[in-house]
Amino acid sequence: MHTKIAEGIYWVGYVDWSVRNFHGYTTSRGSTYNAYLVKAGKTALIDGVKAPYAGALLANVKELAGGGTVDYIVCNHAEPDHSGAIPAAVKAFPGAEVVTNAKCAEALSLHYDTAGWKFRIVNDGDVLDLGGKTLAFYTTPMAHWPESMATYVKEDSLLFSMDIFGQHYASSARFDTEADLEEVFQEAKTYYANIVLLYARPAAAALKKLGALDLKTVCPSHGIIWTKHLPEIVSRYMDWAPSRPTAKVVVAYATMWGSTGKMAAAIAEGATAAGGVDVKVLDLNACDDTDVVRELMDCGSFAVGSPTLNMGILPRVARTLTYVRGLKPAGKTAFAFGSFGWGSKGAEEAAGYLESFGCTIMRPPLTRRFAPDAATLEECRAAGAALAAAAVSAVENWAK
Ligand code: FEO
């Protein structure tokens, strides 16, 4: 199965309708591993797919190559969702040169037995003439790994952008003009929050470098290919990359016997009553961390609630905060809250997490022994109103 993208350029990847866990990222709508074939005087395969789907990739390539061969196998990124099938491709096309940068060649050699591979090492800005089409290579370090790069086809103003602009989104559609755009943009945002967020600065640098190119078509390594709606996804990346806040308050919590849940509801009530903000209440026992991070990424402020279990934070809350800490959403105002029985360590540990990822701490942990009384709930509502004000201020300060 293949799809024509432009004259001589084809999608030859694999649609993974079944994947639901991508190294911890919940991929509710599956994914695709996009590989491409560029046919000119010479033929180049651009990236691979996960190892188990190498057979499908090679069948797609052979369908197009006919009796011909593949002269170059370009590897833009060594992560196994793209490089997993490269060993099989090298075996199938033993004359092919593996075109990549030095860091990627090293990473490939640390994943696979690359003895006998014919590497062609390229540097930033190098070109490869296929005879009628020219590939240019641009390094994009830390977007997503240190060795990541993108490949540009000058004659078609077409970019193979690797993980940038990707979405974990399985679909029979290949192009943005065919797919449900609302779903695609939501998955692009989820992807950014869970994959790119930690590398927001390098991603912004990559955007600046690649944005200088004449671009008509952008082919990421996951999901839908951008054509007509390319300006919209670029604009969204420009908002996401510097963690632009929106007037949104997130209240994320887990509860044991309902007390921390009541506090969460009162905080949300206070924020809602203050007005001017969208309020999201996330019961962590009903949410994936994947979705929590998407909501936190562009909020202006948030509160996180944990009761105390065994003299510490509730493991469900610690799991979320550990994940969020790794992704480091920037510029948030936050506080911790929670009910306790005979030690308020749960909320205190949650506050420690908030400090560790650089939040502006709005107030000391808001705690209550056992069930919250009317005074505690009123304090929660006031704290919610203050959170709303912090979110509004974050938006105003950003605009200045
Ligand atoms: Fe889709 Fe960083 O690999």
Side-chain angles (χ1 to χ4, degrees):
M1 186 177 74
H2 64 267
T3 303
K4 184 175 175 179
I5 302 169
E7 203 53 50
I9 302 180
Y10 304 87
W11 176 91
V12 291
Y14 183 80
V15 181
D16 190 346
W17 294 95
S18 302
V19 65
R20 289 293 179 272
N21 186 321
F22 191 96
H23 57 51
Y25 175 148
T26 302
T27 47
S28 314
R29 291 189 171 107
S31 192
T32 71
Y33 316 112
N34 294 340
Y36 302 94
L37 198 72
V38 180
K39 287 185 75 179
K42 302 270 188 181
T43 297
L45 171 64
I46 312 291
D47 294 311
V49 297
K50 272 186 181 175
Y53 313 120
L57 169 75
L58 293 176
N60 296 344
V61 170
K62 284 176 180 168
E63 188 175 278
L64 285 162
T69 189
V70 167
D71 302 288
Y72 302 107
I73 299 167
V74 175
C75 182
N76 283 310
H77 183 22
E79 193 162 11
D81 50 330
H82 310 295
S83 71
I86 301 277
V90 170
K91 199 171 171 188
F93 304 108
E97 290 183 54
V98 177
V99 183
T100 192
N101 62 74
K103 276 187 184 161
C104 192
E106 182 197 17
L108 289 171
S109 71
L110 294 168
H111 278 90
Y112 314 109
D113 178 5
T114 59
W117 290 22
K118 300 180 183 73
F119 279 110
R120 175 187 285 241
I121 302 300
V122 292
N123 296 306
D124 188 39
D126 281 358
V127 296
L128 177 62
D129 185 359
L130 298 181
K133 289 193 191 290
T134 314
L135 303 184
F137 307 101
Y138 296 98
T139 54
T140 56
M142 301 316 297
H144 165 220
W145 279 9
E147 36 46 274
S148 295
M149 67 178 196
T151 297
Y152 181 61
V153 188
K154 206 172 164 184
E155 291 77 4
D156 297 278
S157 301
L158 182 150
L159 181 72
F160 301 112
S161 63
M162 188 29 59
D163 283 335
I164 300 173
F165 301 131
Q167 332 94 50
H168 282 312
Y169 185 69
S171 172
S172 57
R174 297 276 72 77
F175 297 99
D176 55 0
T177 47
E178 305 166 335
D180 180 330
L181 268 189
E182 281 310 307
E183 288 185 354
V184 174
F185 279 124
Q186 190 192 36
E187 292 304 334
K189 184 176 177 183
T190 305
Y191 188 90
Y192 187 96
N194 286 272
I195 300 287
V196 186
L197 185 59
L198 176 61
Y199 310 112
R201 277 193 187 174
L207 273 187
K208 196 171 171 195
K209 181 192 275 191
L210 301 174
L213 302 170
D214 175 33
L215 296 177
K216 290 196 179 75
T217 307
V218 170
C219 305
S221 292
H222 299 285
I224 294 299
I225 293 166
W226 299 99
T227 56
K228 183 181 171 190
H229 300 283
L230 177 58
E232 291 156 63
I233 187 65
V234 170
S235 161
R236 292 186 192 219
Y237 260 64
M238 300 301 263
D239 282 346
W240 298 333
S243 294
R244 182 184 184 126
T246 61
K248 177 168 71 172
V249 169
V250 173
V251 182
Y253 74 99
T255 194
M256 289 166 61
W257 297 107
S259 294
T260 300
K262 284 178 187 162
M263 294 172 77
I267 292 166
E269 193 184 318
T272 305
V277 290
D278 179 26
V279 179
K280 300 271 190 205
V281 179
L282 306 177
D283 177 347
L284 297 178
N285 284 314
C287 294
D288 283 315
D289 290 339
T290 305
D291 297 325
V292 173
V293 169
R294 186 187 62 237
E295 295 298 342
L296 286 181
M297 178 177 79
D298 61 354
C299 75
S301 61
F302 71 98
V304 62
S306 174
T308 297
L309 176 73
N310 301 332
M311 296 305 290
I313 191 168
L314 198 65
R316 176 64 193 90
V317 181
R319 188 185 93 188
T320 295
L321 289 174
T322 301
Y323 186 59
V324 174
R325 181 173 61 191
L327 292 165
K328 293 188 172 53
K332 310 299 178 198
T333 296
F335 72 89
F337 65 95
S339 161
F340 66 96
W342 45 97
S344 57
K345 286 287 182 199
E348 287 169 21
E349 281 188 28
Y353 275 95
L354 301 182
E355 281 175 30
S356 75
F357 53 84
C359 292
T360 300
I361 304 298
M362 198 186 86
R363 52 157 297 151
L366 200 171
T367 59
R368 165 70 187 178
R369 189 163 182 229
F370 293 121
D373 59 5
T376 304
L377 293 176
E378 195 48 43
E379 191 181 0
C380 288
R381 286 186 202 98
L387 266 188
V392 170
S393 291
V395 174
E396 288 171 354
N397 290 337
W398 180 270
K400 282 178 187 165

